[in-house]
Amino acid sequence: MVFVFGAEDGTLYDSEIREILMPDNFTLEVMGRFYDAKYVDTEEQLFGVTMDVIEHTLHHELGHALIHVLDITITGKEEDAVDGMATMLVILTNQTGSEIALSAADLFDLEGEDIKEFTTEDIWDEHSLDFQRFYNTICMIYGSDSTQYQYLIKELEITQDRAEMCIDDFQRQSKSWKKLLQPYLKDKTILN
Ligand SMILES: [Zn+2]
């Protein structure tokens, strides 16, 4: 499997040639969106949050690639499954993983604001709505550390009942992905 940066197409996993394609304009678009929204104060921070999104996106495409190449069994929408896998992997394999996932969540939120009126295409699209992807990612972040991220639940006015489910969701999704990926890991400790 090959990662192609500066690709013409993408961002996507091309199953015919088994390549993950990441075009430069995706990076620029992400950076532009954070810049326009005045999401951060400094250039260094802008670079940082953009790299966070690239990392999360690469994990998302890696999810598609693993499902295809390893013929991994999943149920439900593949896009939702790989969003969950990306968030879980980013959180569990980085010291600042939750903050990386938070940048990715906030980008979904900014993208969601683009839509002034939902079309049928938005509804039948293979991806969940951007706002749903935002809340799903926030849910995973909270679920991974409910003490540290209690403030998100408060800020977003998510009920405590719903938030409790996020803790179960994170554990269930992590357990499932660990089980699915463990046989293929050279270093079995990486997802402990
Ligand atoms: Zn996808």
Side-chain angles (χ1 to χ4, degrees):
M1 199 167 2
V2 180
F3 288 89
V4 182
F5 294 93
E8 300 259 312
D9 240 2
T11 303
L12 56 86
Y13 167 64
D14 186 327
S15 59
E16 270 177 34
I17 50 174
R18 296 193 172 192
E19 287 182 351
I20 290 172
L21 307 177
M22 167 80 63
D24 290 338
N25 63 12
F26 176 73
T27 312
L28 296 174
E29 190 193 306
V30 171
M31 202 176 266
R33 233 178 243 280
F34 280 134
Y35 179 81
D36 291 344
K38 298 187 173 54
Y39 182 71
V40 285
D41 299 323
T42 67
E43 235 174 70
E44 197 184 340
Q45 288 168 332
L46 182 63
F47 184 75
V49 292
T50 303
M51 287 304 109
D52 289 348
V53 170
I54 302 293
E55 181 158 353
H56 189 268
T57 306
L58 284 176
H59 279 85
H60 172 105
E61 300 306 339
L62 181 66
H64 287 304
L66 290 173
I67 288 169
H68 174 243
V69 173
L70 302 176
D71 196 21
I72 287 177
T73 301
I74 54 150
T75 61
K77 281 168 78 169
E78 181 167 322
E79 291 299 337
D80 287 345
V82 297
D83 269 351
M85 190 207 81
T87 304
M88 186 257 335
L89 277 186
V90 161
I91 290 175
L92 295 184
T93 59
N94 289 279
Q95 267 187 340
T96 58
S98 299
E99 295 300 313
I100 295 172
L102 192 52
S103 304
D106 285 336
L107 186 83
F108 288 137
D109 191 29
L110 292 174
E111 287 171 339
E113 282 169 14
D114 276 359
I115 298 177
K116 300 293 168 232
E117 208 173 302
F118 290 109
T119 63
T120 48
E121 189 182 341
D122 296 317
I123 311 295
W124 54 245
D125 192 78
E126 72 268 34
H127 301 89
S128 292
L129 299 170
D130 289 320
F131 282 140
Q132 289 178 306
R133 297 178 83 185
F134 165 68
Y135 281 108
N136 287 342
T137 310
I138 292 290
C139 189
M140 293 279 281
I141 295 168
Y142 174 79
S144 73
D145 188 342
S146 56
T147 311
Q148 175 88 9
Y149 294 101
Q150 182 63 38
Y151 78 92
L152 287 175
I153 298 306
K154 259 194 159 170
E155 261 176 35
L156 296 167
E157 297 178 358
I158 297 170
T159 63
Q160 204 54 45
D161 280 356
R162 178 65 184 95
E164 296 293 323
M165 292 179 207
C166 296
I167 300 173
D168 293 341
D169 266 0
F170 181 79
Q171 282 171 354
R172 193 171 40 244
Q173 286 196 52
S174 303
K175 195 173 140 200
S176 302
W177 277 110
K178 281 177 187 174
K179 218 177 200 174
L180 292 168
L181 297 177
Q182 207 63 265
Y184 305 102
L185 293 177
K186 274 191 185 161
D187 176 2
K188 306 281 182 201
T189 62
I190 209 165
L191 279 183
N192 275 343

